[in-house]
Amino acid sequence: MINIDRAGGGGHFSQFSGTFTNWGTISIGISGIDNELVGLRSNGTFINEAGAEIYIEVSDEAGLVNSAGNFTNRGYIGASSANSNTLQLSGGTFTNWATIDLQDGTVGIRNTSTFVNETGGVLTIDAAFDYGIEIRRNFIKKATLIILDASAVGIYNLTAAGNFTNEATLNIFNTGEDAILNVALFNNEVGGTITIDGAFEDGIENTSSGNLAGQFNNKGILTIEEILGDQGILNRPNAVFTNEGSLSVGANTTVGDNSINNAGT
């Protein structure tokens, strides 16, 4: 077991190159002593093997940062950050095959590099202060993703490079604003199931910004239940929403204004 509670410099646990494989338990900042730094930062190859566990709790910086190289999780990761991103991907590729639980943080996952949630992976994001996921690069989801109680937006897909692909189960419950705010490419593929319930504004807002226009493609199952404030689906001017699958809005509960408000294509 590795237990780290006090550190200076770039973070509690920093890997600058090479390969690190964890077969046991890593605990970072759990006692709350001097936990203002980045919890775990990797610039090389990091493997958290099956049966291994990583626990991170920090206050002012990101919980886990992958800056370069490949980070692979086959075990368990539990992380929280009070005032920064819980999981920050700024380089390389992060691949999850197992369980990740992310608590609090301004953003649950902020990815400017590729994230893949592979078959068998279970990713839960709970109580992010702003966005559950802020997508600036490819986010490929082949397994379960659950977003709960985001204070603002569940998933914010906001750049031309930010492509979101769902091939499995995606549940977004109880968001302070939109469940999904899309300004780029969002694909719910055949076999993908999206359930939205309890959004305070729109279930899905497909919009444009500058020269970028949202394109939302549904080939799977899309279910929108209770919307507390505005629209089930708001498709703004210049945005494109295409449904080739199953779409249900407000079948079992109420939608604030319109089930679908379309001003785009």
PDB file of all heavy atoms in Angstrom, residues 21-52:
ATOM      1  N   THR A  21       3.073   0.429 -12.783  1.00  0.00           N
ATOM      2  CA  THR A  21       1.964  -0.519 -12.676  1.00  0.00           C
ATOM      3  C   THR A  21       1.590  -0.690 -11.213  1.00  0.00           C
ATOM      4  O   THR A  21       2.441  -1.007 -10.381  1.00  0.00           O
ATOM      5  CB  THR A  21       2.334  -1.880 -13.281  1.00  0.00           C
ATOM      6  OG1 THR A  21       2.726  -1.706 -14.649  1.00  0.00           O
ATOM      7  CG2 THR A  21       1.135  -2.829 -13.226  1.00  0.00           C
ATOM      8  N   ASN A  22       0.327  -0.451 -10.914  1.00  0.00           N
ATOM      9  CA  ASN A  22      -0.173  -0.606  -9.546  1.00  0.00           C
ATOM     10  C   ASN A  22      -0.968  -1.895  -9.426  1.00  0.00           C
ATOM     11  O   ASN A  22      -1.954  -2.113 -10.136  1.00  0.00           O
ATOM     12  CB  ASN A  22      -1.069   0.579  -9.168  1.00  0.00           C
ATOM     13  CG  ASN A  22      -1.635   0.436  -7.763  1.00  0.00           C
ATOM     14  OD1 ASN A  22      -0.937   0.063  -6.833  1.00  0.00           O
ATOM     15  ND2 ASN A  22      -2.915   0.743  -7.616  1.00  0.00           N
ATOM     16  N   TRP A  23      -0.535  -2.763  -8.478  1.00  0.00           N
ATOM     17  CA  TRP A  23      -1.244  -4.013  -8.204  1.00  0.00           C
ATOM     18  C   TRP A  23      -1.915  -3.974  -6.827  1.00  0.00           C
ATOM     19  O   TRP A  23      -2.615  -4.930  -6.467  1.00  0.00           O
ATOM     20  CB  TRP A  23      -0.275  -5.194  -8.240  1.00  0.00           C
ATOM     21  CG  TRP A  23       0.318  -5.461  -9.584  1.00  0.00           C
ATOM     22  CD1 TRP A  23       1.460  -4.941 -10.102  1.00  0.00           C
ATOM     23  CD2 TRP A  23      -0.197  -6.334 -10.595  1.00  0.00           C
ATOM     24  NE1 TRP A  23       1.705  -5.419 -11.371  1.00  0.00           N
ATOM     25  CE2 TRP A  23       0.705  -6.282 -11.697  1.00  0.00           C
ATOM     26  CE3 TRP A  23      -1.324  -7.153 -10.685  1.00  0.00           C
ATOM     27  CZ2 TRP A  23       0.496  -7.016 -12.856  1.00  0.00           C
ATOM     28  CZ3 TRP A  23      -1.530  -7.891 -11.845  1.00  0.00           C
ATOM     29  CH2 TRP A  23      -0.625  -7.818 -12.922  1.00  0.00           C
ATOM     30  N   GLY A  24      -1.705  -2.894  -6.085  1.00  0.00           N
ATOM     31  CA  GLY A  24      -2.215  -2.831  -4.722  1.00  0.00           C
ATOM     32  C   GLY A  24      -3.127  -1.640  -4.503  1.00  0.00           C
ATOM     33  O   GLY A  24      -4.033  -1.379  -5.283  1.00  0.00           O
ATOM     34  N   THR A  25      -2.855  -0.868  -3.439  1.00  0.00           N
ATOM     35  CA  THR A  25      -3.687   0.279  -3.070  1.00  0.00           C
ATOM     36  C   THR A  25      -2.834   1.531  -2.970  1.00  0.00           C
ATOM     37  O   THR A  25      -1.783   1.526  -2.326  1.00  0.00           O
ATOM     38  CB  THR A  25      -4.399   0.045  -1.717  1.00  0.00           C
ATOM     39  OG1 THR A  25      -5.234  -1.117  -1.819  1.00  0.00           O
ATOM     40  CG2 THR A  25      -5.258   1.242  -1.337  1.00  0.00           C
ATOM     41  N   ILE A  26      -3.298   2.596  -3.621  1.00  0.00           N
ATOM     42  CA  ILE A  26      -2.679   3.909  -3.503  1.00  0.00           C
ATOM     43  C   ILE A  26      -3.702   4.848  -2.884  1.00  0.00           C
ATOM     44  O   ILE A  26      -4.818   4.997  -3.396  1.00  0.00           O
ATOM     45  CB  ILE A  26      -2.222   4.452  -4.862  1.00  0.00           C
ATOM     46  CG1 ILE A  26      -1.162   3.535  -5.486  1.00  0.00           C
ATOM     47  CG2 ILE A  26      -1.666   5.868  -4.721  1.00  0.00           C
ATOM     48  CD1 ILE A  26      -0.745   3.949  -6.890  1.00  0.00           C
ATOM     49  N   SER A  27      -3.321   5.487  -1.788  1.00  0.00           N
ATOM     50  CA  SER A  27      -4.201   6.419  -1.088  1.00  0.00           C
ATOM     51  C   SER A  27      -3.517   7.782  -1.037  1.00  0.00           C
ATOM     52  O   SER A  27      -2.416   7.905  -0.514  1.00  0.00           O
ATOM     53  CB  SER A  27      -4.491   5.907   0.334  1.00  0.00           C
ATOM     54  OG  SER A  27      -5.248   6.841   1.061  1.00  0.00           O
ATOM     55  N   ILE A  28      -4.181   8.815  -1.582  1.00  0.00           N
ATOM     56  CA  ILE A  28      -3.574  10.137  -1.703  1.00  0.00           C
ATOM     57  C   ILE A  28      -4.493  11.186  -1.083  1.00  0.00           C
ATOM     58  O   ILE A  28      -5.639  11.351  -1.507  1.00  0.00           O
ATOM     59  CB  ILE A  28      -3.312  10.489  -3.181  1.00  0.00           C
ATOM     60  CG1 ILE A  28      -2.349   9.486  -3.809  1.00  0.00           C
ATOM     61  CG2 ILE A  28      -2.769  11.904  -3.307  1.00  0.00           C
ATOM     62  CD1 ILE A  28      -2.162   9.662  -5.294  1.00  0.00           C
ATOM     63  N   GLY A  29      -3.992  11.870  -0.067  1.00  0.00           N
ATOM     64  CA  GLY A  29      -4.695  13.012   0.500  1.00  0.00           C
ATOM     65  C   GLY A  29      -5.933  12.692   1.304  1.00  0.00           C
ATOM     66  O   GLY A  29      -6.710  13.590   1.631  1.00  0.00           O
ATOM     67  N   ILE A  30      -6.140  11.436   1.657  1.00  0.00           N
ATOM     68  CA  ILE A  30      -7.393  11.048   2.308  1.00  0.00           C
ATOM     69  C   ILE A  30      -7.524  11.652   3.703  1.00  0.00           C
ATOM     70  O   ILE A  30      -8.617  11.973   4.163  1.00  0.00           O
ATOM     71  CB  ILE A  30      -7.515   9.514   2.371  1.00  0.00           C
ATOM     72  CG1 ILE A  30      -7.431   8.921   0.956  1.00  0.00           C
ATOM     73  CG2 ILE A  30      -8.811   9.094   3.033  1.00  0.00           C
ATOM     74  CD1 ILE A  30      -8.488   9.428   0.005  1.00  0.00           C
ATOM     75  N   SER A  31      -6.412  11.849   4.397  1.00  0.00           N
ATOM     76  CA  SER A  31      -6.472  12.394   5.752  1.00  0.00           C
ATOM     77  C   SER A  31      -6.806  13.877   5.782  1.00  0.00           C
ATOM     78  O   SER A  31      -7.134  14.436   6.823  1.00  0.00           O
ATOM     79  CB  SER A  31      -5.130  12.175   6.459  1.00  0.00           C
ATOM     80  OG  SER A  31      -4.144  13.036   5.909  1.00  0.00           O
ATOM     81  N   GLY A  32      -6.715  14.555   4.613  1.00  0.00           N
ATOM     82  CA  GLY A  32      -6.996  15.981   4.556  1.00  0.00           C
ATOM     83  C   GLY A  32      -5.832  16.861   4.951  1.00  0.00           C
ATOM     84  O   GLY A  32      -5.995  18.079   5.101  1.00  0.00           O
ATOM     85  N   ILE A  33      -4.648  16.290   5.116  1.00  0.00           N
ATOM     86  CA  ILE A  33      -3.470  17.065   5.513  1.00  0.00           C
ATOM     87  C   ILE A  33      -2.702  17.491   4.264  1.00  0.00           C
ATOM     88  O   ILE A  33      -2.290  16.662   3.457  1.00  0.00           O
ATOM     89  CB  ILE A  33      -2.546  16.231   6.427  1.00  0.00           C
ATOM     90  CG1 ILE A  33      -3.312  15.769   7.668  1.00  0.00           C
ATOM     91  CG2 ILE A  33      -1.320  17.028   6.814  1.00  0.00           C
ATOM     92  CD1 ILE A  33      -2.539  14.787   8.510  1.00  0.00           C
ATOM     93  N   ASP A  34      -2.505  18.806   4.090  1.00  0.00           N
ATOM     94  CA  ASP A  34      -1.723  19.331   2.955  1.00  0.00           C
ATOM     95  C   ASP A  34      -2.198  18.749   1.624  1.00  0.00           C
ATOM     96  O   ASP A  34      -1.400  18.263   0.815  1.00  0.00           O
ATOM     97  CB  ASP A  34      -0.226  19.011   3.145  1.00  0.00           C
ATOM     98  CG  ASP A  34       0.370  19.731   4.338  1.00  0.00           C
ATOM     99  OD1 ASP A  34      -0.183  20.780   4.709  1.00  0.00           O
ATOM    100  OD2 ASP A  34       1.373  19.245   4.892  1.00  0.00           O
ATOM    101  N   ASN A  35      -3.505  18.808   1.386  1.00  0.00           N
ATOM    102  CA  ASN A  35      -4.013  18.190   0.162  1.00  0.00           C
ATOM    103  C   ASN A  35      -4.435  19.229  -0.870  1.00  0.00           C
ATOM    104  O   ASN A  35      -5.415  19.075  -1.568  1.00  0.00           O
ATOM    105  CB  ASN A  35      -5.182  17.254   0.479  1.00  0.00           C
ATOM    106  CG  ASN A  35      -6.382  17.977   1.067  1.00  0.00           C
ATOM    107  OD1 ASN A  35      -6.298  19.151   1.404  1.00  0.00           O
ATOM    108  ND2 ASN A  35      -7.499  17.280   1.185  1.00  0.00           N
ATOM    109  N   GLU A  36      -3.631  20.333  -0.972  1.00  0.00           N
ATOM    110  CA  GLU A  36      -3.958  21.401  -1.905  1.00  0.00           C
ATOM    111  C   GLU A  36      -3.375  21.180  -3.294  1.00  0.00           C
ATOM    112  O   GLU A  36      -3.627  21.958  -4.203  1.00  0.00           O
ATOM    113  CB  GLU A  36      -3.452  22.754  -1.364  1.00  0.00           C
ATOM    114  CG  GLU A  36      -4.131  23.234  -0.090  1.00  0.00           C
ATOM    115  CD  GLU A  36      -3.485  22.679   1.163  1.00  0.00           C
ATOM    116  OE1 GLU A  36      -2.463  21.971   1.031  1.00  0.00           O
ATOM    117  OE2 GLU A  36      -4.006  22.934   2.266  1.00  0.00           O
ATOM    118  N   LEU A  37      -2.566  20.150  -3.502  1.00  0.00           N
ATOM    119  CA  LEU A  37      -1.877  19.938  -4.766  1.00  0.00           C
ATOM    120  C   LEU A  37      -2.609  18.917  -5.638  1.00  0.00           C
ATOM    121  O   LEU A  37      -3.579  18.295  -5.211  1.00  0.00           O
ATOM    122  CB  LEU A  37      -0.448  19.457  -4.493  1.00  0.00           C
ATOM    123  CG  LEU A  37       0.399  20.395  -3.626  1.00  0.00           C
ATOM    124  CD1 LEU A  37       1.707  19.726  -3.270  1.00  0.00           C
ATOM    125  CD2 LEU A  37       0.653  21.716  -4.341  1.00  0.00           C
ATOM    126  N   VAL A  38      -2.134  18.781  -6.889  1.00  0.00           N
ATOM    127  CA  VAL A  38      -2.658  17.725  -7.760  1.00  0.00           C
ATOM    128  C   VAL A  38      -2.479  16.379  -7.073  1.00  0.00           C
ATOM    129  O   VAL A  38      -1.420  16.095  -6.501  1.00  0.00           O
ATOM    130  CB  VAL A  38      -1.924  17.739  -9.111  1.00  0.00           C
ATOM    131  CG1 VAL A  38      -2.302  16.519  -9.935  1.00  0.00           C
ATOM    132  CG2 VAL A  38      -2.254  19.009  -9.875  1.00  0.00           C
ATOM    133  N   GLY A  39      -3.494  15.538  -7.125  1.00  0.00           N
ATOM    134  CA  GLY A  39      -3.395  14.242  -6.470  1.00  0.00           C
ATOM    135  C   GLY A  39      -2.414  13.311  -7.165  1.00  0.00           C
ATOM    136  O   GLY A  39      -1.389  12.926  -6.602  1.00  0.00           O
ATOM    137  N   LEU A  40      -2.708  12.960  -8.408  1.00  0.00           N
ATOM    138  CA  LEU A  40      -1.849  12.051  -9.172  1.00  0.00           C
ATOM    139  C   LEU A  40      -1.704  12.616 -10.570  1.00  0.00           C
ATOM    140  O   LEU A  40      -2.692  12.919 -11.230  1.00  0.00           O
ATOM    141  CB  LEU A  40      -2.464  10.651  -9.211  1.00  0.00           C
ATOM    142  CG  LEU A  40      -1.622   9.490  -9.754  1.00  0.00           C
ATOM    143  CD1 LEU A  40      -2.174   8.164  -9.247  1.00  0.00           C
ATOM    144  CD2 LEU A  40      -1.576   9.454 -11.282  1.00  0.00           C
ATOM    145  N   ARG A  41      -0.445  12.757 -11.020  1.00  0.00           N
ATOM    146  CA  ARG A  41      -0.171  13.267 -12.362  1.00  0.00           C
ATOM    147  C   ARG A  41       0.698  12.256 -13.099  1.00  0.00           C
ATOM    148  O   ARG A  41       1.741  11.840 -12.597  1.00  0.00           O
ATOM    149  CB  ARG A  41       0.558  14.607 -12.290  1.00  0.00           C
ATOM    150  CG  ARG A  41       0.801  15.249 -13.657  1.00  0.00           C
ATOM    151  CD  ARG A  41       1.795  16.390 -13.564  1.00  0.00           C
ATOM    152  NE  ARG A  41       1.414  17.377 -12.574  1.00  0.00           N
ATOM    153  CZ  ARG A  41       0.611  18.415 -12.811  1.00  0.00           C
ATOM    154  NH1 ARG A  41       0.091  18.588 -14.017  1.00  0.00           N
ATOM    155  NH2 ARG A  41       0.332  19.274 -11.853  1.00  0.00           N
ATOM    156  N   SER A  42       0.263  11.883 -14.313  1.00  0.00           N
ATOM    157  CA  SER A  42       1.039  10.923 -15.100  1.00  0.00           C
ATOM    158  C   SER A  42       1.389  11.504 -16.456  1.00  0.00           C
ATOM    159  O   SER A  42       0.534  12.037 -17.167  1.00  0.00           O
ATOM    160  CB  SER A  42       0.249   9.619 -15.291  1.00  0.00           C
ATOM    161  OG  SER A  42       0.994   8.711 -16.088  1.00  0.00           O
ATOM    162  N   ASN A  43       2.680  11.411 -16.818  1.00  0.00           N
ATOM    163  CA  ASN A  43       3.167  11.806 -18.142  1.00  0.00           C
ATOM    164  C   ASN A  43       3.720  10.624 -18.919  1.00  0.00           C
ATOM    165  O   ASN A  43       4.247  10.799 -20.022  1.00  0.00           O
ATOM    166  CB  ASN A  43       4.266  12.862 -18.009  1.00  0.00           C
ATOM    167  CG  ASN A  43       3.757  14.157 -17.415  1.00  0.00           C
ATOM    168  OD1 ASN A  43       2.637  14.548 -17.673  1.00  0.00           O
ATOM    169  ND2 ASN A  43       4.576  14.808 -16.609  1.00  0.00           N
ATOM    170  N   GLY A  44       3.633   9.431 -18.346  1.00  0.00           N
ATOM    171  CA  GLY A  44       4.178   8.247 -19.000  1.00  0.00           C
ATOM    172  C   GLY A  44       3.097   7.214 -19.224  1.00  0.00           C
ATOM    173  O   GLY A  44       1.987   7.532 -19.644  1.00  0.00           O
ATOM    174  N   THR A  45       3.404   5.964 -18.903  1.00  0.00           N
ATOM    175  CA  THR A  45       2.429   4.879 -18.985  1.00  0.00           C
ATOM    176  C   THR A  45       2.058   4.462 -17.565  1.00  0.00           C
ATOM    177  O   THR A  45       2.933   4.090 -16.784  1.00  0.00           O
ATOM    178  CB  THR A  45       2.999   3.667 -19.747  1.00  0.00           C
ATOM    179  OG1 THR A  45       3.294   4.069 -21.087  1.00  0.00           O
ATOM    180  CG2 THR A  45       2.001   2.519 -19.771  1.00  0.00           C
ATOM    181  N   PHE A  46       0.780   4.543 -17.256  1.00  0.00           N
ATOM    182  CA  PHE A  46       0.296   4.194 -15.918  1.00  0.00           C
ATOM    183  C   PHE A  46      -0.777   3.125 -16.075  1.00  0.00           C
ATOM    184  O   PHE A  46      -1.734   3.294 -16.825  1.00  0.00           O
ATOM    185  CB  PHE A  46      -0.284   5.416 -15.209  1.00  0.00           C
ATOM    186  CG  PHE A  46      -0.490   5.229 -13.723  1.00  0.00           C
ATOM    187  CD1 PHE A  46       0.330   5.865 -12.810  1.00  0.00           C
ATOM    188  CD2 PHE A  46      -1.502   4.401 -13.235  1.00  0.00           C
ATOM    189  CE1 PHE A  46       0.141   5.695 -11.442  1.00  0.00           C
ATOM    190  CE2 PHE A  46      -1.689   4.215 -11.883  1.00  0.00           C
ATOM    191  CZ  PHE A  46      -0.859   4.867 -10.979  1.00  0.00           C
ATOM    192  N   ILE A  47      -0.621   2.011 -15.351  1.00  0.00           N
ATOM    193  CA  ILE A  47      -1.585   0.913 -15.414  1.00  0.00           C
ATOM    194  C   ILE A  47      -2.068   0.613 -14.002  1.00  0.00           C
ATOM    195  O   ILE A  47      -1.266   0.307 -13.118  1.00  0.00           O
ATOM    196  CB  ILE A  47      -0.956  -0.349 -16.040  1.00  0.00           C
ATOM    197  CG1 ILE A  47      -0.409  -0.044 -17.435  1.00  0.00           C
ATOM    198  CG2 ILE A  47      -1.985  -1.479 -16.101  1.00  0.00           C
ATOM    199  CD1 ILE A  47       0.458  -1.136 -18.007  1.00  0.00           C
ATOM    200  N   ASN A  48      -3.351   0.724 -13.797  1.00  0.00           N
ATOM    201  CA  ASN A  48      -3.979   0.307 -12.548  1.00  0.00           C
ATOM    202  C   ASN A  48      -4.645  -1.036 -12.817  1.00  0.00           C
ATOM    203  O   ASN A  48      -5.687  -1.117 -13.472  1.00  0.00           O
ATOM    204  CB  ASN A  48      -5.013   1.344 -12.086  1.00  0.00           C
ATOM    205  CG  ASN A  48      -5.466   1.123 -10.666  1.00  0.00           C
ATOM    206  OD1 ASN A  48      -4.670   0.854  -9.771  1.00  0.00           O
ATOM    207  ND2 ASN A  48      -6.777   1.234 -10.432  1.00  0.00           N
ATOM    208  N   GLU A  49      -4.009  -2.112 -12.319  1.00  0.00           N
ATOM    209  CA  GLU A  49      -4.412  -3.465 -12.713  1.00  0.00           C
ATOM    210  C   GLU A  49      -5.696  -3.923 -12.013  1.00  0.00           C
ATOM    211  O   GLU A  49      -6.168  -3.309 -11.047  1.00  0.00           O
ATOM    212  CB  GLU A  49      -3.284  -4.451 -12.413  1.00  0.00           C
ATOM    213  CG  GLU A  49      -2.140  -4.394 -13.408  1.00  0.00           C
ATOM    214  CD  GLU A  49      -2.515  -4.958 -14.776  1.00  0.00           C
ATOM    215  OE1 GLU A  49      -3.668  -5.382 -14.968  1.00  0.00           O
ATOM    216  OE2 GLU A  49      -1.640  -4.968 -15.657  1.00  0.00           O
ATOM    217  N   ALA A  50      -6.263  -5.011 -12.509  1.00  0.00           N
ATOM    218  CA  ALA A  50      -7.466  -5.606 -11.931  1.00  0.00           C
ATOM    219  C   ALA A  50      -7.222  -5.928 -10.458  1.00  0.00           C
ATOM    220  O   ALA A  50      -6.199  -6.511 -10.101  1.00  0.00           O
ATOM    221  CB  ALA A  50      -7.850  -6.867 -12.693  1.00  0.00           C
ATOM    222  N   GLY A  51      -8.147  -5.524  -9.596  1.00  0.00           N
ATOM    223  CA  GLY A  51      -8.007  -5.737  -8.163  1.00  0.00           C
ATOM    224  C   GLY A  51      -7.293  -4.618  -7.437  1.00  0.00           C
ATOM    225  O   GLY A  51      -7.356  -4.527  -6.204  1.00  0.00           O
ATOM    226  N   ALA A  52      -6.605  -3.751  -8.176  1.00  0.00           N
ATOM    227  CA  ALA A  52      -5.892  -2.625  -7.567  1.00  0.00           C
ATOM    228  C   ALA A  52      -6.853  -1.466  -7.332  1.00  0.00           C
ATOM    229  O   ALA A  52      -7.882  -1.325  -8.013  1.00  0.00           O
ATOM    230  CB  ALA A  52      -4.741  -2.186  -8.453  1.00  0.00           C
TER     231      ALA A  52
END
